[in-house]
Every structure is written in C-alpha cells, then in structure tokens.
C-alpha cells in the first residue's frame, strides 16, 4: 500500500508540472514517475485525485490526444471546458474529444 501511495504522489507531482495550456500523455507521466509501463496506474491515480483543483488532471490525455471518455470530475465535457479555458483547442471526432498533440503536447 505504501508503494502505491508513493507512486500516486509521484504522479501528482509530475502532473503539477504540466504547463498551463499544454497537455501530457499518461505514458509521459508514467516515464516521469520512473515506470514506462504504468500508464494505466497513472490513469487510476488521476481518477482518485484527492485535489482536483490543485492537481490539474484535466491536462492528461491518451497517446492519440483523446480526452478521457469518463473524466472523473464531470465527464469529457468538463475536461474539454477546462482545457479550452486554458486556450487548448479541442475537436470532436466520432463522438470523442481530442487535442492536437503536435501543438499542445508538453515537451519537457
């Protein structure tokens, strides 16, 4: 359990570093946390984010730039709105929302 909490804290710390107006992928966050194979665990950590107003989990998308279809804090429309408030353009394709990673991906 302590190891899981430590990983979650690493995730939260990494996500706090994503600049305003940028997005990162689950894989990027996993790499920053030292485990390239833990993208799903990153998603779970963000799903249970204890501080959604402080830890900007809305800035994390999948490797294609797709927003979370079940964004934990109100659904994909809320994630879309939060990103658009930061100047990130979100487009819809096949009833899913995406951001252009060529433009908005955080390059650390």
């Amino acid at each position: 359990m302590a190891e899981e909490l430590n990983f979650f804290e690493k995730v939260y710390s990494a996500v706090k570093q994503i600049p305003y107006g940028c997005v990162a992928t689950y894989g990027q966050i996993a790499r920053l946390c030292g485990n390239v194979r833990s993208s799903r665990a990153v998603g779970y950590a963000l799903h249970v984010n204890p501080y959604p107003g402080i830890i900007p989990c809305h800035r994390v998308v999948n490797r294609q730039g797709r927003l979370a279809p079940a964004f934990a804090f109100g659904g994909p429309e809320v994630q879309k709105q939060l990103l658009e408030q930061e100047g990130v353009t979100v487009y819809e394709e096949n009833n899913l929302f995406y951001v252009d990673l060529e433009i908005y991906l955080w390059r650390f």
Side-chain angles (χ1 to χ4, degrees):
M1 182 69 168
E3 186 175 308
E4 181 178 281
L5 288 177
N6 185 36
F7 179 76
F8 282 17
E9 290 305 316
K10 287 180 183 179
V11 169
Y12 301 146
S13 178
V15 171
K16 285 186 200 178
Q17 295 176 51
I18 304 168
Y20 185 93
C22 292
V23 298
T25 66
Y26 296 100
Q28 280 182 299
I29 300 302
R31 278 193 302 280
L32 281 173
C33 295
N35 189 341
V36 298
R37 301 179 62 106
S38 61
S39 298
R40 288 182 185 262
V42 169
Y44 181 73
L46 297 178
H47 183 76
V48 297
N49 175 358
Y51 307 107
I54 297 168
I55 301 165
C57 57
H58 66 280
R59 295 182 187 151
V60 183
V61 298
N62 82 356
R63 66 181 179 219
Q64 287 89 29
R66 183 172 48 84
L67 278 56
F71 184 64
F73 305 101
E77 289 284 345
V78 172
Q79 186 178 14
K80 175 182 181 287
Q81 180 182 21
L82 291 168
L83 288 170
E84 288 176 338
Q85 288 172 354
E86 295 186 12
V88 175
T89 300
V90 178
Y91 65 93
E92 187 173 355
E93 187 174 295
N94 298 321
N95 297 316
L96 298 170
F97 295 117
Y98 293 85
V99 298
D100 186 336
L101 295 179
E102 292 291 319
I103 298 170
Y104 299 106
L105 184 66
W106 176 38
R107 291 171 174 82
F108 52 89

